[in-house]
Amino acid sequence: MMKLLAAVAVFALTAAGTQAFDHSALTGVLQNYVNGQGMVNYKALKSNRGQLDAYLNKTGAVSEKELKSWSKDEQLAFYINVYNAETLKFIIDNYPVDSIKDLGGFLSTPWDKKVVTLFGEKTTLNTVEHKIIRKEFEEPRIHFALVCAAISCPPLRREAYTAAKLDSQLDNQARVFMAQKEKNRIEGDTLYLSSIYSFYKGDFTKGGRSLNDYVDPYIDGSTAGKEVEFTDYDWSLNKQ
C-alpha cells in the first residue's frame, strides 16, 4: 500500500508540473562550454568533464519503467538531453578530432557505436534518435534540437530541455536554425534549405504538407512558389 501511495504521489507531482528529472547539471555544462553561436569548447570540457559525466551517470540509471511514468514532454526532453550530452561525451572521449564522422568504424557509422548508456545498458545514438524519438514522438522540431557535433547541425542550445518549456524551446530552435543564412534562405525564386530537410523529408511533410509549407512560419520571406534546393552539409566539428 505504501509503495502504491508513493507512486501516486510521484505521478501527481509530475502531472502538476514538477520536473521529473533534474537537468540543471547539463545546463551548467552547456553554459560553461557552449558559446552564443552554439559552438563547443571541447578542449576545456575534456579537461573539466566531471559535471557532464555525473549527469550521464544519473540519466543512465533511470529505468524504462520510471521514464514511462513521466509525461510525454518529460520523456522527450529527457531523450533530447541524453542524445546531446552523450554526443558531447563521445567527442571528448576521442578529442582532438576534426569530424564526428572520423569516429566511425570500417563497416559502421559513429552513430552505430554503442556509446550511449540508457536504462542501464549500452545502445547507440541512432537507436535513441530513430527507434525511440522519431518512432514514439511525432515532433519534427526535434531535428532542430538534436545536435550531431557538426557545423551544419543546428546550434547547440545553452540550456537543457525541460517539459515546462519544451514547446517554446523547440519553436525557438526552429527560428534560430532557420535564421542561419548559410543553411536556410530565400534567393529569388529559390528556397535554399539545410540538407536536414532532405535527410528527414518525410518527418516534415506528413499530412500532405510541402517543405515550403512547413518552413514558411520560420523563415524570413514567403516560400510560396519557390523551388527547393538543399545546401551542402559541413561535417566539420562544431568547435570553438
Side-chain angles (χ1 to χ4, degrees):
M1 177 61 74
M2 291 300 293
K3 289 182 178 180
L4 177 60
L5 290 174
V8 170
V10 168
F11 177 81
L13 285 171
T14 302
T18 300
Q19 191 169 288
F21 188 92
D22 183 6
H23 297 286
S24 59
L26 178 58
T27 292
V29 171
L30 296 170
Q31 291 182 348
N32 285 329
Y33 301 103
V34 179
N35 66 18
Q37 289 72 50
M39 307 294 278
V40 184
N41 188 341
Y42 288 108
K43 182 178 180 180
L45 179 57
K46 183 179 179 74
S47 299
N48 301 276
R49 59 182 298 158
Q51 191 173 24
L52 177 63
D53 288 339
Y55 172 77
L56 287 172
N57 285 339
K58 290 181 179 179
T59 60
V62 173
S63 70
E64 187 171 12
K65 181 178 180 181
E66 178 185 359
L67 182 137
K68 292 297 185 184
S69 72
W70 302 346
S71 71
K72 293 297 274 188
D73 281 354
E74 286 280 5
Q75 293 179 44
L76 181 53
F78 179 86
Y79 284 127
I80 293 172
N81 289 333
V82 166
Y83 184 98
N84 288 342
E86 290 284 11
T87 299
L88 290 174
K89 181 178 181 295
F90 187 31
I91 296 299
I92 63 173
D93 282 346
N94 295 277
Y95 194 81
V97 64
D98 293 325
S99 170
I100 190 172
K101 295 191 82 171
D102 295 340
L103 303 180
F106 182 68
L107 295 175
S108 64
T109 75
W111 299 278
D112 292 315
K113 287 179 172 282
K114 290 190 174 183
V115 298
V116 177
T117 302
L118 187 65
F119 309 138
E121 299 180 353
K122 285 293 187 180
T123 189
T124 70
L125 289 165
N126 266 345
T127 295
V128 176
E129 179 176 8
H130 303 299
K131 295 185 178 180
I132 298 177
I133 296 177
R134 293 180 65 212
K135 183 178 179 181
E136 296 184 13
F137 304 88
E138 291 192 6
E139 177 51 84
R141 291 178 299 175
I142 59 101
H143 296 298
F144 311 127
L146 298 175
V147 179
C148 59
I151 292 291
S152 286
C153 291
L156 189 59
R157 195 173 184 85
R158 298 186 70 234
E159 65 177 358
Y161 292 88
T162 62
K165 299 193 295 182
L166 186 60
D167 184 65
S168 62
Q169 287 175 317
L170 293 177
D171 203 61
N172 179 253
Q173 280 293 113
R175 296 181 187 285
V176 169
F177 181 63
M178 292 303 298
Q180 295 184 307
K181 300 299 185 184
E182 71 278 12
K183 301 172 185 176
N184 306 283
R185 64 189 180 275
I186 296 172
E187 290 184 4
D189 293 328
T190 304
L191 171 60
Y192 290 96
L193 293 178
S194 163
S195 291
I196 286 175
Y197 288 101
S198 174
F199 302 156
Y200 305 108
K201 183 176 181 180
D203 291 3
F204 297 105
T205 57
K206 288 181 179 178
R209 290 181 300 189
S210 67
L211 287 176
N212 301 55
D213 294 333
Y214 186 85
V215 304
D216 195 73
Y218 300 114
I219 199 167
D220 184 19
S222 173
T223 66
K226 307 297 184 188
E227 182 178 347
V228 173
E229 291 190 20
F230 298 107
T231 54
D232 293 335
Y233 209 84
D234 185 351
W235 286 103
S236 302
L237 194 67
N238 61 341
K239 65 180 179 179
Q240 292 181 23

